[in-house]
Amino acid sequence: VAARARVGIRTVFRHFSDMDSLFAEIDERVRTQAIPLLQEPRTGGSRASRTRALVERRIRFFEKIAPYKRSGNLQRWHSAFIAGQHATFARTLRADLLGWLPELRAAPPELVEALDVALSFEVWDRLRTDQKLGRERASAALHRLVSAGVSSL
């Protein structure tokens, strides 16, 4: 933060009493930019079309938050604030999944769990970072994974 603002580290901490207050400020800025992507009206249609739209929206959202989420994941074990935000994030994504595919409420619990993890940031990040897939190939892989799970409904 200090390097990007071209100020000294002490200058940064004159504005923040501790790391969690700095993390909270960053979180608020990221939320302001990224959360509206998840809050756009959902499309209707067939289960397949809703699944495609859900995956596309997650991809746009994850691409937007990726640098912040990666950094937060590194700090999560040292910050109560980030750990709490991570838990809230996971619940938000699960609620979003059930909003897009309400038929999952009657599905076997293991299917819901599998789709929840398949649509997680961690899976997207592994495709992009560890497996070094470009956005197009990672997108195709995620679509195939999620579509296979949804087709078992």
Side-chain angles (χ1 to χ4, degrees):
V1 171
R4 188 166 182 183
R6 296 183 184 160
V7 299
I9 291 173
R10 287 185 183 176
T11 302
V12 171
F13 283 100
R14 284 188 189 122
H15 298 284
F16 302 100
S17 59
D18 58 21
M19 287 300 291
D20 275 348
S21 60
L22 173 61
F23 294 149
E25 179 67 27
I26 294 168
D27 180 73
E28 180 60 34
R29 289 177 186 230
V30 172
R31 284 176 166 280
T32 299
Q33 295 173 9
I35 291 296
L37 295 173
L38 288 181
Q39 295 173 335
E40 294 172 358
R42 293 184 182 106
T43 58
S46 69
R47 187 179 323 142
S49 67
R50 287 181 285 127
T51 300
R52 276 191 305 279
L54 166 61
V55 172
E56 283 304 314
R57 186 169 296 181
R58 287 286 172 96
I59 290 168
R60 285 193 316 275
F61 178 70
F62 290 157
E63 286 289 301
K64 181 87 170 167
I65 69 165
Y68 307 102
K69 185 69 174 124
R70 287 183 194 116
S71 177
N73 284 344
L74 292 173
Q75 297 295 325
R76 185 172 21 152
W77 312 113
H78 306 290
S79 165
F81 174 79
I82 293 176
Q85 291 304 95
H86 176 78
T88 300
F89 180 67
R91 286 191 303 272
T92 299
L93 293 181
R94 187 182 192 102
D96 185 58
L97 167 64
L98 295 173
W100 277 97
L101 299 168
E103 51 269 57
L104 288 175
R105 295 183 192 281
E110 62 275 9
L111 176 59
V112 177
E113 298 301 336
L115 288 169
D116 194 24
V117 77
L119 285 162
S120 69
F121 175 79
E122 290 74 15
V123 167
W124 179 251
D125 194 44
R126 178 175 172 150
L127 290 168
R128 296 286 274 136
T129 303
D130 298 332
Q131 294 178 222
K132 299 183 184 339
L133 298 181
R135 185 175 175 158
E136 193 172 304
R137 286 188 62 211
S139 176
L142 189 60
H143 275 286
R144 179 169 292 241
L145 176 62
V146 174
S147 294
V150 170
S151 70
S152 69
L153 278 173

